[in-house]
Amino acid sequence: MSTQFATPPPGAADHWWQHGVVYQIYPLSFADSNGDGQGDLEGIRSRLDHLTWLGVDAVWISPFYPSPMKDFGYDVSDYCDVDPRFGTLAEFDTLLGDLQARGLRVILDLIPNHTSDQHPWFRESVSSIKNPKRDWYIWRDPAPGGGPPSNWASEFGGSAWQLDQASGQYYYHAFLKEQPDLNWRNPEVRRAMHDVLRFWLDRGVDGFRVDAIHHLFKDEELRDNPQNPDFVPGMSPRRQLIRRFTTDLPEVHDAVREMRALLASYDNRVLIGEAWLPFDRLMAYYGDNLDCFHLPFNFHLIGARWEAPALRSMIAEYEALLPRGAWPNWVLGNHDRSRLASRVGDAQARVAAVLLCTLRGTPTLYYGDELGMRDVPIPPEAVQDPYEKNVPGLGLGRDPARTPMQWSAAPHAGFSSARPWLPIAADYAHCNVAIQKEDPRSMLTLYRSLLALRHARPTLSLGDYEAIDPAAHVLGYYRAHAGRRDAVLLNLSGSPQKLALPSALAGAHVLLSTHPERAGRPVGAELLADEAVVLAASE
Ligand code: NOJ
């Protein structure tokens, strides 16, 4: 089959990653083809119809590389292969070909900050102080009086320094002790990671989502991180410190620039960065000359206060701070945070879907959110996530948002023929793809309609953003492109809201509503409770 990528909307000298929609697949939980209770690449391949039916343009597949699975694939022991639990490299090539033949782009996870402690590089590094790979990781002598070299804390609890009894030195790990950090000041490390990029780019992948990029460099003098005056019990223990000397060091931008330059020698690839930072610092990840990430992930909707004024000012701040020519993006959920429907409730999750698909910038949609899947309670004996195991009881565990995709009312939700690695949601018999596909009022149908509308209307995929203020609890904006304007109104409250609309919207027709019976009718003077609408403004 020849590759048929979506045609960019007219008037757009644009890239696929600008007008397209990204869908995140967490491979352990998407579809299991071989009955071991864990998802795999062939499982993904068996569900391609869902992706094309839904209307996404690209998939980002979370890690499937060989891994001891201490952090479920984010502890990589070989960057250039496939873990047998997920399949084989040949199966990956087939999957890549099939996805691309359907016009879907494929983004892989790149994890440059750390390897598994079982990676051959670390095995060599730990073997002797004199080993040539010793300097590939961050080794330091104990503090003068003994103990860890600094107060730096692991993201997953405890010290970030692990003592190696044999040599008496400590190595640094921003995450688990089984995830030692690479030393990015060593040029051989950089070269080795560039080879990894080339390995996958040469196979034809369309880009990378780069993990934990703000962790890449740490202070060479090992200065202690300052205490966080805003820390209160109940927060993750690592927040006791402000990560001044362990994250977001200026050298990171050069390292990203090098990756981007490498990508530029291939056609049409994308580089997306994972950095949880305030907007002003996030913007630096586009690069001074837009030569770093195409898209530094914008996670601010995930932690946002779900109220119109808070969202309005957050969007305004983001839009105002974006460097000239930089392309925005929005993320509503991922494998590290509580599910959208659990954060904002079922009705507002529909409003949020409209927001994600109509804001200016590339949307990233997390698998299962298209069904409104909720966090699944995980009994203590079923906990898998090392974060929950290390820091229990604070609600930080990520398993609840990683449960198997709910395909149908069949046993194990059609995900697997065996008991899955994480429990299935109790509501799967009602909340699943097969049922929602047939229901015009379902979340799945809403997402499909939204994506179709976004593809059909360059206003929504490419248009400028202009805020409007039709009511206190209503977030509103125009999207304008090539002389046309659409408007989006989102009622962030659970009660009906009277609208004070600009004249261009008086009598405007509803192109799409969270309440499908309203479609095709004039918007009128009121939004229903929890209603979001897209309107065609008069010229
Ligand atoms: C961010 C990933 O999204 C998360 O799942 C992982 O635990 C850490 N980085 C460490 O790789």
Side-chain angles (χ1 to χ4, degrees), residues 24 26 60 62 71 74-75 109 111 113-114 156 175 179 209 211-212 215 274 276 334-336 385-386 398 402:
Q24 181 190 356
Y26 192 70
W60 148 34
S62 287
D71 190 20
Y74 285 95
D75 48 324
D109 226 303
I111 301 116
N113 180 68
H114 45 269
F156 291 148
F175 296 90
Q179 292 169 297
R209 169 269 190 194
D211 185 71
H215 285 272
E274 190 222 17
W276 295 78
N334 64 27
H335 63 293
D336 291 329
D385 182 16
R398 300 167 296 175
R402 296 176 174 180

Side-chain angles (χ1 to χ4, degrees), residues 156-215:
F156 291 148
S159 171
W161 293 102
Q162 177 66 24
L163 179 63
D164 166 47
Q165 296 286 354
S167 66
Q169 285 196 317
Y170 285 83
Y171 66 85
Y172 177 76
H173 56 93
F175 296 90
L176 297 173
K177 68 178 180 357
E178 294 88 354
Q179 292 169 297
D181 279 41
L182 285 161
N183 174 16
W184 271 78
R185 293 195 176 96
N186 183 323
E188 290 176 19
V189 167
R190 292 162 101 114
R191 277 199 290 273
M193 202 54 73
H194 293 168
D195 286 345
V196 172
L197 284 155
R198 279 191 207 95
F199 176 85
W200 294 105
L201 291 168
D202 288 343
R203 296 193 105 77
V205 307
D206 296 289
F208 298 95
R209 169 269 190 194
V210 188
D211 185 71
I213 192 66
H214 52 316
H215 285 272

Side-chain angles (χ1 to χ4, degrees), residues 140-150 170 221-222 224:
R140 291 291 187 276
D141 289 331
S150 71
Y170 285 83
E221 292 172 41
L222 308 191
D224 275 353

